[in-house]
Every structure is written in C-alpha cells, then in structure tokens.
Amino acid sequence: TKKNKASPDRLEDKPEERQKENLKILQFSTLDLLSLINNVLDFNKIDSDKLELEAVSFRLAEFVENICFGLRQKANDKELRFILDIDSRLEETHIVSDPTRLSQVIYNLVSNAIKFTDKGSITVKLERVNKTGNRVDVLFSVTDTGIGIREDRHETIFEMFAQAESHITRKYGGTGLGLAIVKQVLTLFNSSIYVESTYGSGARFFFTISFATTEDATRTNIPAPADN
C-alpha cells in the first residue's frame, strides 16, 4: 500500500503569514476589550473628580499618525478607505498635553466610525484654527460614510450606555460607552463634542482643543499610543 505523504509545500505554506494574521486579530480584540475596561474605570474616575490630565511634550502630527496606523488596518479589514488629513501648519507643532487621554478620544471616535460604516471611507482631519503666542487651537474631526444618526438622537448618543437604535445595537453590537467617555474626557480639555449627521448618509464628529505649545524639541518625547 502506498502511504500518503504530506506535501512539503503545504507544510511550509507561509505559516508565518498566518500567524501574523492571527496575532493581528488578537491584538485588535485585546485593544477593544482594554478600551471597554478603561472606559468604565475612567468614567468612574471623572465622576469622582479623580482623573487629572498629564502634561507631556510631543509632536502632535506624529502622535496622531501613530494612533491611526492600527485604526487604518481595522478600516482596511472592512475594505474602507482611510484618510488622514493633517494641516501642514501642524506638522512640526509640539504640544504639551495628555497623550493617553487624547489617544482615548481619537481611538473611540474612529473605532466607532469604522464599526458603523460598511462601505465608503473614514476621514480623520486636524486643522489649525488659531495660533496665539504659545497656544494653538486645533479642530479635530472624524467623518464617515456610515449609517448616520437620526436628528432626534444627536444628543442622547453621548449618554452612558445609549445606542442610536435598538436594531442597530443588535446588528453592530457595542456597549454605548465610547461616545459617553469621549464627552466626559473632553470636559477635562475644556472642550465639547459635536455631531453633524443625516440618517443614512454618514456622520461627522468634531471638537476643538486649545493646546500649550513648546519649541524645545530636545525635551520632546513622542509617546506610544495608549491601548485605550
């Protein structure tokens, strides 16, 4: 009788690539779980006035690029176009702020946009709207071509555990914590979150933060994006 032998080609069918893909999936699942845990913990801290912002110097453009690197992969997995548009006047701007909390806001908004968009694009935009002395005002916006939000839900979606529609919750999942924590964290930056959306035609979330700036790049440390 002839024994079947496994083909060497099949055994060596790029196992490293398969492992990378599995690790990638595991990484994003871990980030999502960690995001949920941190959101719950931070919500409690903010309510009890125990959460304070750090003051770290870093280059804003590079920092946002680092955050969007992993989020771009999540968008690519859904075959969505990911656009990062950073005002050229911000390219060399070093700010003094809290990278962990800023990362948390951006991560939650972009993850939310990706979740509720089945086709089209996700656009993350940073625009310098004012520069006075050692302060710079930056407008952040996250725009998607997803399912949109009914006008009568524009305010309630920022409430804890709120979802736009029950059937949307069943289809897309989620806890309703992401936008609530964004609203709460932005209060620490003396900022507010706004939304423009037409049901069925996508949504745009935006906010403005005034940062202190520093020209001393020698002290600047580009922090790794928080795992939210």
Side-chain angles (χ1 to χ4, degrees):
T1 59
K2 191 179 290 184
K3 293 183 179 180
N4 292 326
K5 294 183 179 180
S7 167
D9 292 335
R10 291 178 62 84
L11 288 174
E12 296 176 8
D13 186 19
K14 296 185 179 179
E16 294 83 4
E17 290 301 318
R18 292 200 302 271
Q19 290 169 358
K20 287 179 182 178
E21 193 65 29
N22 290 335
L23 287 173
K24 195 180 298 179
I25 294 172
L26 179 61
Q27 177 189 24
F28 290 134
S29 298
T30 303
L31 286 177
D32 286 339
L33 178 59
L34 197 55
S35 175
L36 170 60
I37 295 171
N38 284 341
N39 282 343
V40 174
L41 294 175
D42 286 345
F43 218 102
N44 291 332
K45 288 180 182 177
I46 295 173
D47 283 344
S48 59
D49 296 324
K50 291 182 178 179
L51 192 62
E52 297 181 356
L53 295 180
E54 290 184 311
V56 179
S57 176
F58 57 96
R59 187 160 72 89
L60 179 60
E62 182 178 358
F63 177 66
V64 175
E65 288 167 0
N66 289 342
I67 296 171
C68 289
F69 181 81
L71 290 165
R72 184 187 299 275
Q73 182 59 51
K74 294 182 73 171
N76 290 343
D77 289 343
K78 293 186 68 174
E79 298 184 350
L80 301 173
R81 185 183 178 200
F82 192 97
I83 303 164
L84 177 57
D85 181 4
I86 299 179
D87 191 327
S88 60
R89 295 172 296 175
L90 293 173
E91 282 297 332
E92 298 304 322
T93 299
H94 293 78
I95 64 170
V96 178
S97 189
D98 188 324
T100 301
R101 300 307 158 200
L102 186 57
S103 170
Q104 191 172 30
V105 170
I106 297 172
Y107 182 89
N108 273 302
L109 284 177
V110 180
S111 292
N112 202 63
I114 294 172
K115 178 191 298 184
F116 295 111
T117 303
D118 292 324
K119 60 181 179 179
S121 63
I122 307 294
T123 302
V124 180
K125 184 175 182 179
L126 275 67
E127 180 183 359
R128 195 185 83 178
V129 291
N130 189 41
K131 176 74 167 69
T132 306
N134 66 339
R135 298 204 68 85
V136 61
D137 297 346
V138 180
L139 172 63
F140 296 78
S141 65
V142 177
T143 306
D144 65 65
T145 58
I147 58 177
I149 306 162
R150 295 186 188 279
E151 188 173 354
D152 61 355
R153 300 292 291 173
H154 283 192
E155 293 299 324
T156 57
I157 57 171
F158 296 107
E159 296 174 2
M160 197 171 185
F161 301 117
Q163 295 280 16
E165 307 284 347
S166 58
H167 70 278
I168 291 175
T169 304
R170 288 193 297 271
K171 179 177 179 180
Y172 294 95
T175 61
L177 275 175
L179 293 179
I181 196 65
V182 164
K183 180 180 179 179
Q184 288 288 76
V185 171
L186 282 177
T187 62
L188 300 175
F189 289 95
N190 295 316
S191 181
S192 300
I193 182 74
Y194 301 96
V195 61
E196 296 174 342
S197 179
T198 300
Y199 189 64
S201 301
R204 174 178 178 257
F205 290 86
F206 58 98
F207 59 93
T208 301
I209 296 180
S210 180
F211 297 106
T213 62
T214 175
E215 301 301 324
D216 187 1
T218 60
R219 294 190 297 106
T220 300
N221 175 38
I222 302 297
D227 288 341
N228 299 295

